[in-house]
Amino acid sequence: MSIIKSQIAVPNKRKLFVKSYGCQMNVYDAGRMADVLAPEGYDETNTPEDADLVILNTCHIRERASEKIFSELGKFRDMKLERQALGKETLIAVAGCVAQAEGKEIFRRQKAVDVVVGPQNYHRLPDLLQKARTSGRVIDAEFASEDKFDFLDRPSAEKTRSRGVTSFLTIQEGCDKFCTFCVVPYTRGAEISRSAAKIIAEAKDLASAGVRELTLLGQNVNAYHGQGLDGKIWPFERLAEEIAKIDGISRIRYSTSHPKDMTLGLMRAHRHNPALMPYLHLPVQSGSDKILAAMNRDHTRAHYFDIIDELREGRPDIALSSDFIVGFPGESDEDFADTLSLIEKIKFSAAYSFKYSPRPGTPAAKMNQQIPEVVMAERLSAVQALVEKQRHEFHHAALGHSFDVLFEKPGRKPGQVGGKSPFLHGVHVEGSLDLVGQIRSVEIVASSGTSLEGHLKETQT
Ligand code: SAH
Ligand code: SF4
Ligand code: F3S
């Protein structure tokens, strides 16, 4: 099949379909790509068949995530051919972490792909599409150089896009930690922090569009060290303090944090900054010191417990979640028992767990003592069963309590409206959609184990 170069007249109004995999940053980036493309006449659509441009925003973190991309691309190729027969242009772009890591391979395996663009080059999308139209397929997976910060800055089109009540906001990107299992330092590049001025300007725009809760994003969000409004380098908690002053922003969350960067200042901020929600996602990966060392996590089990103790001293009720990898090379039954005992001891409100997946180019992929699939599967079920039990306990413990709930959208059942407690419980009440955007006190009367139901209390906060 030959590469399709468009000779077809392009209409002013064009449709864009973006499909995102992977982490929250990809979700945020999807919005950013739509913003960059809005001035080119692209409007988002939910139906790929209508799209003049399809972007697959990929994730490279585990093998399964990457492999899915190629079957997905096969479907888009068929669609492109059908539309071509009708005289319609369809460009296919691959973005995200697989684009960064395996751009050439993507071109080799799927000839219908027109553009491959890495996460740091989305601001160049209009140019890349133009090049693809005029001179054939193009790849741009350079890491940011002189325009280092441009890729993190959103275009002004942002102001015109309608938003929900909650929004992501990227404040930091990239990772210098090189955990031995992980591709992120290779796909997202070195750690870069945006300036506080840029972040605050974006936060204000979002607040004026009705956003009340911000989740600040970064692969190492608590390692934030951007230029502050006073010209000094600000740590994360200083930035959070400033964002909390913005009219309309009532809640701040952040993800994902690394234990090593959990400073005393940040832990204390959970006590002093009421906008910082009492919920923290703090991946630990394993409970065994031997495995943590082999993972190059640069912290011990004891250090993790110390962090949790300190956090709970300031906010005894703080909800905690984590990520776990089971079956890392060399993980013995004892090492795995250490992971279970860590979970038992801490009691998480939720956690994600994964079978170790060897990734090309990472040190762990070459380590001896890779763990058999059956063992990984057993360990994964054990972690998941324990975490699920804790998640249910966490939800049942909410019965009879009252929480401030930020209402976001229609609830689970008809006539209900749904939102989140400060601790990130999903809460549903009988009520009208007028509640969306409001924070109201709710008394919890029922728990399904994974979400809560309650009654609105009289007072409005
Ligand atoms: N920056 C975050 C997480 C990044 S990736 C951190 O430092 O923790 C999200 C999660 O995917 C990781 O926390 C880890 O649990 C999982 N993960 C990353 N690489 C993996 C691999 N090769 N196999 C299995 N899980 C992996
Ligand atoms: Fe990956 Fe480790 Fe960096 Fe997290 S800290 S993104 S797990 S290398
Ligand atoms: Fe995946 Fe890249 Fe995020 S590998 S998890 S999309 S940083």
Side-chain angles (χ1 to χ4, degrees):
M1 188 187 54
S2 66
I3 305 156
I4 300 151
K5 278 191 220 158
S6 175
Q7 309 287 322
I8 307 159
V10 201
N12 287 335
K13 277 289 164 203
R14 299 185 274 204
K15 295 260 183 248
L16 162 68
F17 175 79
V18 189
K19 182 157 187 182
S20 285
Y21 295 89
C23 60
Q24 295 165 332
M25 196 170 287
N26 264 10
V27 176
Y28 173 88
D29 285 349
R32 187 156 52 116
M33 287 189 262
D35 292 342
V36 170
L37 292 167
E40 306 286 305
Y42 283 103
D43 268 338
E44 276 188 89
T45 171
N46 293 326
T47 32
E49 294 77 13
D50 295 343
D52 306 283
L53 169 62
V54 168
I55 302 179
L56 208 54
N57 193 17
T58 60
C59 174
H60 198 45
I61 204 81
R62 284 167 291 274
E63 192 181 354
R64 197 143 31 117
S66 311
E67 274 308 308
K68 229 181 341 198
I69 305 309
F70 289 101
S71 58
E72 199 71 33
L73 282 175
K75 285 188 225 148
F76 289 143
R77 178 212 42 214
D78 296 346
M79 222 179 60
K80 176 173 179 161
L81 290 174
E82 277 168 32
R83 283 175 51 93
Q84 191 189 22
L86 300 170
K88 293 180 183 163
E89 177 192 71
T90 314
L91 293 173
I92 300 179
V94 182
C97 289
V98 183
Q100 185 65 49
E102 294 188 348
K104 290 201 181 104
E105 177 71 2
I106 292 168
F107 268 178
R108 196 185 62 74
R109 282 178 66 176
Q110 185 44 269
K111 300 281 186 283
V113 173
D114 301 286
V115 173
V116 165
V117 57
Q120 306 205 350
N121 303 315
Y122 297 151
H123 57 295
R124 294 205 281 263
L125 260 170
D127 283 352
L128 296 171
L129 294 174
Q130 198 45 40
K131 275 193 193 136
R133 282 192 193 100
T134 52
S135 44
R137 56 199 335 215
V138 46
I139 182 163
D140 187 356
E142 294 298 311
F143 273 140
S145 52
E146 78 287 349
D147 54 354
K148 197 164 152 154
F149 291 99
D150 291 4
F151 78 97
L152 281 173
D153 295 332
R154 297 172 75 90
S156 53
E158 166 66 23
K159 291 196 180 75
T160 61
R161 286 164 56 81
S162 72
R163 292 276 153 184
V165 170
T166 63
S167 177
F168 295 128
L169 200 178
T170 292
I171 65 164
Q172 178 278 334
E173 186 156 1
C175 180
D176 295 336
K177 297 214 167 50
F178 292 92
C179 300
T180 53
F181 52 81
C182 183
V183 291
V184 172
Y186 312 97
T187 62
R188 295 275 171 169
E191 269 183 44
I192 297 176
S193 296
R194 288 175 83 184
S195 71
K198 293 267 173 64
I199 295 166
I200 288 164
E202 186 174 338
K204 284 182 175 164
D205 280 350
L206 291 166
S208 58
V211 169
R212 301 207 61 188
E213 173 179 303
L214 284 176
T215 300
L216 307 178
L217 293 183
Q219 270 89 27
N220 279 279
V221 75
N222 61 338
Y224 178 83
H225 56 281
Q227 188 173 40
L229 298 180
D230 54 8
K232 295 189 186 135
I233 297 298
W234 280 6
F236 178 83
E237 63 274 18
R238 180 70 189 86
L239 177 71
E241 190 184 313
E242 208 59 32
I243 293 175
K245 293 180 189 160
I246 297 171
D247 263 356
I249 301 297
S250 314
R251 295 179 160 194
I252 300 172
R253 303 184 187 276
Y254 57 105
S255 191
T256 299
S257 296
H258 192 290
K260 211 184 137 188
D261 299 310
M262 240 20 245
T263 60
L264 210 53
L266 174 51
M267 293 191 273
R268 298 211 167 132
H270 273 276
R271 190 186 318 202
H272 302 305
N273 182 348
L276 268 190
M277 289 293 99
Y279 176 94
L280 180 66
H281 181 62
L282 190 63
V284 61
Q285 315 297 355
S286 167
S288 149
D289 280 338
K290 183 188 99 190
I291 296 298
L292 287 171
M295 287 175 163
N296 191 31
R297 288 290 289 180
D298 219 10
H299 65 81
T300 58
R301 172 186 174 93
H303 183 203
Y304 193 79
F305 285 134
D306 286 347
I307 294 169
I308 303 305
D309 286 348
E310 178 67 34
L311 280 165
R312 282 183 167 155
E313 205 179 303
R315 274 302 310 230
D317 54 356
I318 193 166
L320 298 162
S321 72
S322 189
D323 292 344
F324 295 94
I325 295 178
V326 300
F328 185 83
E331 187 186 68
S332 65
D333 287 342
E334 292 73 41
D335 295 320
F336 178 64
D338 285 345
T339 296
L340 290 180
S341 76
L342 180 142
I343 301 173
E344 287 280 10
K345 192 158 164 198
I346 294 201
K347 303 206 185 321
F348 292 97
S349 68
Y352 301 92
S353 44
F354 312 99
K355 290 183 211 162
Y356 167 70
S357 168
R359 306 306 292 129
T362 59
K366 293 182 224 85
M367 286 180 185
N368 296 328
Q369 286 185 274
Q370 300 281 327
I371 305 297
E373 175 65 30
V374 280
V375 177
M376 287 207 269
E378 263 172 37
R379 290 180 183 171
L380 187 71
S381 328
V383 167
Q384 287 180 343
L386 182 53
V387 165
E388 204 49 24
K389 181 170 150 267
Q390 295 189 347
R391 186 166 162 227
H392 277 66
E393 286 164 0
F394 170 74
H395 281 84
H396 291 324
L399 283 171
H401 289 264
S402 294
F403 300 131
D404 284 344
V405 173
L406 169 59
F407 288 100
E408 295 172 21
K409 55 184 179 204
R412 181 152 304 154
K413 300 175 194 156
Q416 281 189 334
V417 53
K420 293 274 163 33
S421 80
F423 308 95
L424 213 63
H425 304 95
V427 182
H428 303 266
V429 304
E430 297 281 325
S432 86
L433 284 179
D434 295 346
L435 285 167
V436 169
Q438 293 185 32
I439 297 177
R440 296 282 297 270
S441 183
V442 172
E443 186 181 348
I444 304 305
V445 296
S447 158
S448 71
T450 54
S451 70
L452 304 174
E453 283 191 32
H455 297 316
L456 282 180
K457 302 223 299 200
E458 287 301 301
T459 46
Q460 183 162 346
T461 54

